[in-house]
Amino acid sequence: MRVEIWADVVCPWSYIGKRRIETALAEWDGAPVEAVWRPFRIDPMAPTPASPLARELLDPVVDAALTQCTPGLSPTENRSRVREIAAAEGLGPPWGAAWRANSHAAHRLVALSFEHGGADTQGAVIEEIFKAHFIGAVDISSTEVLVDLADAAERFGVPRARGLLVEGAGDAAVREQLLRGKAIGVTTSPTFVVGEDLLVGAQSAATIAEFLRAREGREGRKLPEEVERFRHSEALLERGDPLGTLELLRPLLDAHVSDPNLRLLAARAYFHSAQLGAARTLLEDLAAASPSDSYVQLLLGRVLERQGRPADAAPHLRMAEAMAPEYRR
């Protein structure tokens, strides 16, 4: 069984969650569990180089961003409580981040560690990153610290970790995983995911074990990668991220450029991201190939309307309304 842990390495509850799932798995007597770490960004606007965290927390925008790591708590309440809980989990002293650091490069190293070394290696590497941020209080976005962390990854079995990091490897994978997390409904760090089920927050070891036990043997048949990518792309559009939809769809469109389902989803994403020319090109082709598709006619009419061409839009809208009365205005 695989449990994916969607978490930001600058979220203290993620480090606490790591200790709690380790406790749960240490006492686990069921089928083998593979714990894989996936990226989440609680503060995507964090600067590089980092800024002193104490000063940044005076900014209400920063304080609000960090609520994604503090479900149900204000950031002020969280910072007070988390020290006590971290201590109870054997973390620190010392304890506490000193920097508002951009975590993207660290997530790249985490992703590369899984790709080149597997789950155990990844777990060891993310432990070093957590320790550097929360115990060492260093800037994990700095080149010097990242190189040290990459050297640690090499010792744990990731070949050429430093070179891969410098070359920008892992960037596309992290960006795609962030979109996948959004598609499946991850909104909090950490979130534990098995199949389609989510456990939100750094729950107790007992709760994590119960969550895993209830899903043991029920992960279901894994969908083909292309089907899963299409479904995640649809979910992103439903969640209001048409640009993310297009990014996830790109490999499928490259491989299956004539597939009408892919082209319609892309056309919808273009429409909702105001890329009307691209939407119109796809929809005109789809309408020519399948003139009885009422939704295609409706969407093409709306695209033409938004382009300021009401006379061209009218026939398509009339046809859509004739075939599907629910489209009548």
Side-chain angles (χ1 to χ4, degrees):
M1 176 169 57
R2 171 178 287 186
V3 54
E4 294 182 311
I5 310 161
W6 299 82
D8 200 339
V9 293
V10 297
C11 171
W13 288 104
S14 295
Y15 201 2
I16 291 168
K18 184 175 189 293
R19 283 293 180 271
R20 289 177 171 178
I21 192 172
E22 288 169 346
T23 299
L25 294 181
E27 301 173 358
W28 180 256
D29 59 359
V33 175
E34 179 187 48
V36 180
W37 292 83
R38 301 299 192 195
F40 184 82
R41 300 288 302 280
I42 61 172
D43 187 12
M45 301 304 293
T48 303
S51 300
L53 186 59
R55 184 185 70 202
E56 291 283 349
L57 288 175
L58 299 175
D59 184 341
V61 174
V62 175
D63 218 36
L66 299 183
T67 59
Q68 292 178 95
C69 180
T70 62
L73 296 173
S74 74
T76 301
E77 292 171 325
N78 176 69
R79 286 189 290 277
S80 172
R81 183 180 174 193
V82 75
R83 279 189 175 84
E84 300 173 5
I85 296 176
E89 296 293 339
L91 299 173
W95 171 266
W99 300 94
R100 182 191 177 201
N102 190 304
S103 60
H104 183 74
H107 282 301
R108 285 172 45 220
L109 185 57
V110 173
L112 290 167
S113 297
F114 178 70
E115 180 183 350
H116 295 278
D120 290 342
T121 296
Q122 186 192 47
V125 170
I126 202 169
E127 175 71 25
E128 292 300 307
I129 295 171
F130 279 135
K131 190 183 299 181
H133 186 66
F134 292 106
I135 307 298
V138 297
D139 173 11
I140 61 168
S141 70
S142 76
T143 301
E144 181 181 355
V145 172
L146 285 167
V147 165
D148 288 344
L149 291 170
D151 288 343
E154 290 186 6
R155 292 195 299 273
F156 292 131
V158 182
R160 287 193 66 248
R162 181 191 289 205
L164 290 169
L165 198 65
V166 171
E167 293 163 9
D171 181 75
V174 167
R175 295 184 187 281
E176 187 165 294
Q177 287 170 9
L178 287 168
L179 290 173
R180 188 164 76 88
K182 185 175 182 179
I184 64 176
V186 175
T187 59
T188 297
S189 173
T191 298
F192 301 86
V193 179
V194 176
E196 297 182 353
D197 297 325
L198 282 64
L199 178 66
V200 176
Q203 304 290 339
S204 68
T207 299
I208 294 171
E210 182 181 351
F211 173 75
L212 297 176
R213 183 75 66 192
R215 284 144 190 86
E216 190 175 15
R218 297 199 301 107
E219 288 183 276
R221 183 175 62 87
K222 183 172 174 56
L223 294 172
E225 194 277 334
E226 291 186 340
V227 175
E228 188 174 75
R229 180 180 289 272
F230 182 82
R231 289 190 176 182
H232 289 159
S233 300
E234 281 187 311
L236 281 174
L237 189 59
E238 291 168 3
R239 294 180 187 278
D241 187 357
L243 295 178
T245 295
L246 291 167
E247 188 169 339
L248 274 191
L249 269 184
R250 190 169 295 114
L252 295 181
L253 288 169
D254 290 343
H256 307 284
V257 66
S258 62
D259 185 284
N261 294 315
L262 293 175
R263 291 166 70 82
L264 179 56
L265 182 56
R268 291 170 58 202
Y270 282 130
F271 174 73
H272 287 290
S273 59
Q275 300 181 69
L276 301 180
R280 178 184 164 196
T281 297
L282 288 175
L283 290 166
E284 286 179 337
D285 289 345
L286 289 168
S290 184
S292 62
D293 189 321
S294 60
Y295 182 73
V296 168
Q297 296 289 349
L298 175 71
L299 192 56
L300 178 54
R302 289 183 175 173
V303 166
L304 290 165
E305 276 188 329
R306 288 181 62 179
Q307 287 185 315
R309 303 176 59 176
D312 293 329
H316 299 287
L317 295 174
R318 284 197 299 269
M319 191 178 301
E321 292 170 5
M323 290 186 287
E326 64 269 24
Y327 291 152
R328 286 177 185 162
R329 298 182 179 183

